[in-house]
Amino acid sequence: MQGAKWTVPVATVAMALGIFVVDYFAPLGYAVWLAYLLPLWFTPRAAYNHFPLVFAGACTGLIAADYVLALPGLDPKIATFNRGFGIVVIWVMALLLERSAKAERLQARLYQDLALAQERLRQLSHRLLQAQETERRQVARDLHDEIGQALTALKLNLREVQSLSEPDQAMSMIVDSVQITDQLIQHIRNLALDLRPSLLDELGLVSAMQWYVNRQAERAAWTVDYA
């Protein structure tokens, strides 16, 4: 991985040095910027920020060095124009490549953030489904264990009343049935409040939360400090 990280910088610098040598022995003149554009084109693939600009600075130094070393054999005006034009073109291309590389890095970061947000949303949906399943399991258990048993006891009492001939015994069973019915009604009311308290619609979330916490504290004999 470390070798691959240095592949593009080393290759582009080697190409630039080769162009420098060629330009020294056989001045490229106006075509010097075309030669340097080839390695410059690969610089955005390097795993370093601002490498196109760094490479453009290195090319500027190499072109200036060739200009100074080869000047005695060239027309000063033509050499100055050719190499000055080449440096301008190289920097313009480097700025464009830097801007394009920056946009690609930003796009890649946005895609990464989007993928992370989607993963978080997936986890949240999974947790929501788990919470719903847990709540349904609890409601089903309450309906079966508490309400189902109470209704069964009430049914047995009513059948017993049908078979009794003594008024006193029948009255006792009726009183017991009324108590079971009261407990059943209270349990249904508690189950409905646990599912969705009416205070949530009437007084809002804060009041409903305070009521719910205090209610659970009374059930479990807790001491609650609500803030």
Side-chain angles (χ1 to χ4, degrees):
M1 293 298 294
Q2 190 68 20
K5 185 177 181 181
W6 284 95
T7 299
V8 174
V10 171
T12 53
V13 170
M15 293 174 67
L17 292 175
I19 296 169
F20 169 79
V21 174
V22 172
D23 191 28
Y24 175 74
F25 289 103
L28 298 174
Y30 181 77
V32 67
W33 62 273
L34 288 174
Y36 281 105
L37 281 184
L38 178 60
L40 179 62
W41 185 258
F42 294 97
T43 54
R45 301 183 183 181
Y48 299 96
N49 294 336
H50 312 300
F51 186 68
L53 300 180
V54 174
F55 185 80
C59 292
T60 301
L62 294 176
I63 293 175
D66 265 329
Y67 171 78
V68 173
L69 295 175
L71 185 59
L74 300 175
D75 186 337
K77 293 183 180 180
I78 297 178
T80 301
F81 173 80
N82 289 342
R83 300 182 184 282
F85 178 79
I87 290 174
V88 171
V89 172
I90 288 173
W91 274 101
V92 170
M93 290 301 299
L95 290 172
L96 292 176
L97 291 174
E98 173 70 17
R99 184 176 181 180
S100 176
K102 184 178 180 180
E104 290 180 358
R105 289 193 297 268
L106 178 60
Q107 186 178 18
R109 186 164 60 250
L110 290 176
Y111 278 135
Q112 185 178 5
D113 293 342
L114 178 60
L116 181 60
Q118 290 177 343
E119 177 62 21
R120 290 178 177 175
L121 180 60
R122 188 191 65 81
Q123 293 178 358
L124 180 62
S125 299
H126 181 66
R127 292 178 181 176
L128 179 60
L129 289 176
Q130 285 184 331
Q132 290 176 344
E133 289 299 322
T134 301
E135 183 180 33
R136 290 171 181 173
R137 191 180 302 112
Q138 182 64 36
V139 171
R141 186 182 299 113
D142 289 342
L143 289 174
H144 179 271
D145 295 343
E146 301 293 337
I147 298 178
Q149 291 179 5
L151 289 174
T152 301
L154 182 61
K155 179 180 178 181
L156 293 176
N157 284 348
L158 293 177
R159 282 184 175 178
E160 187 69 19
V161 170
Q162 289 179 341
S163 64
L164 291 177
S165 58
E166 296 293 333
D168 294 339
Q169 294 180 352
M171 182 58 64
S172 176
M173 297 298 297
I174 291 174
V175 171
D176 185 48
S177 298
V178 170
Q179 292 178 350
I180 294 176
T181 304
D182 290 338
Q183 295 175 359
L184 184 61
I185 293 173
Q186 183 62 37
H187 190 75
I188 293 176
R189 183 180 293 112
N190 292 336
L191 184 62
L193 289 175
D194 288 339
L195 287 175
R196 183 175 178 84
S198 59
L199 291 175
L200 190 61
D201 298 319
E202 298 173 357
L203 301 179
L205 178 62
V206 176
S207 298
M209 284 292 295
Q210 186 174 7
W211 170 84
Y212 185 80
V213 170
N214 291 333
R215 184 166 178 266
Q216 296 300 325
E218 291 178 359
R219 286 182 175 181
W222 293 344
T223 301
V224 176
D225 183 13
Y226 182 86

